Amino acid sequence: MSCALVAPAGTGKTALLRSLVHALPEARYRTHYVKVTGLSKRDMCREIAAALGLPPAGTYPSLVRKLQENFTETSETLGLRPVLILDEAHDLRVEVLAMLRILTNFDMDSRLVLSIVLAGQPKLRDALRREELDDVAKRISHFATLRPLSRDETQAYIEHRCAIAGAATVPFDGGSLDAIFEIGRGNLRATDQLARKTLGIAHDSDAGTCCAAYVAQAKKVLWP
């Protein structure tokens, strides 16, 4: 089936998509990744065609037909399930989201050939609740949501990153870990940036441990 991944910016959406692609066996699936913007239906089809290795030329109807023929060939001839990942899908126009119903319609909706993964920020979920997109929303069998980390999860995340980097001990004291959470609010991207900059400041100060004061300095450097 098809699914949607809804996540605020910086919470690990793209990292999760990479893990998804890596986890799907190549012997069973063929994945195509497209990072979308506010394109027209024809331009969206051209982007998808380019991702499939097809000539991105033609009218909108001919492009749709070309895409469906490619997905059908992948499924019937190669025995692979085509998976189309549309990242930043919150930027899709309503008419382009509605087009997905056509792309997934094979033999008058009697066959499931293509799986679509829509990934975007929370306004994607709001868009799919619109009445004119009801048919599209009904084709999505699962909605997954990523949220910011809790205080304890943030600490565990930093400890994990330090461990895989080869650190024998965690170079952050309790105050610095609290400060990173209070500033970053569990956002993975902000947490990474704060922790990395704090480490740099502690190194320049020849300190053995990162403290809250270094986190405050890192915040001023990153977001003056």
Side-chain angles (χ1 to χ4, degrees), residues 50-69:
L52 268 59
L54 301 173
T59 63
Y60 168 63
S62 66
L63 282 166
V64 170
R65 185 165 55 253
K66 186 188 302 183
L67 293 177
Q68 287 193 316
E69 289 172 353

Side-chain angles (χ1 to χ4, degrees), residues 155-176:
Q155 179 175 336
Y157 172 72
I158 293 174
E159 292 172 348
H160 168 70
R161 292 298 300 268
C162 291
I164 63 175
T169 59
V170 178
F172 295 90
D173 64 17
S176 66

Side-chain angles (χ1 to χ4, degrees), residues 204-219:
D204 294 342
S205 302
D206 200 25
T209 305
C210 298
C211 64
Y214 293 148
V215 179
Q217 292 181 44
K219 176 188 175 184

Side-chain angles (χ1 to χ4, degrees), residues 1 6 9 12 24-25 82 84-86 89 93 117 131-132 135 138-139 148 160 167 176 183 192 207 218 221-223:
M1 304 296 286
V6 178
L24 292 176
L84 179 61
I85 300 175
L86 300 180
R93 300 178 184 178
V117 179
E131 184 177 353
E132 60 265 43
D135 285 347
K138 287 179 178 177
R139 292 171 184 266
H160 168 70
S176 66
I183 296 170
D192 285 342
V221 173
L222 290 169
W223 306 294

Side-chain angles (χ1 to χ4, degrees), residues 115-143:
S115 296
I116 293 180
V117 179
L118 293 174
Q121 296 181 25
K123 66 179 183 178
L124 169 63
R125 181 176 52 226
D126 298 335
L128 290 171
R129 288 173 175 165
R130 298 177 62 151
E131 184 177 353
E132 60 265 43
L133 292 176
D134 184 61
D135 285 347
V136 176
K138 287 179 178 177
R139 292 171 184 266
I140 298 175
S141 62
H142 186 71
F143 281 82

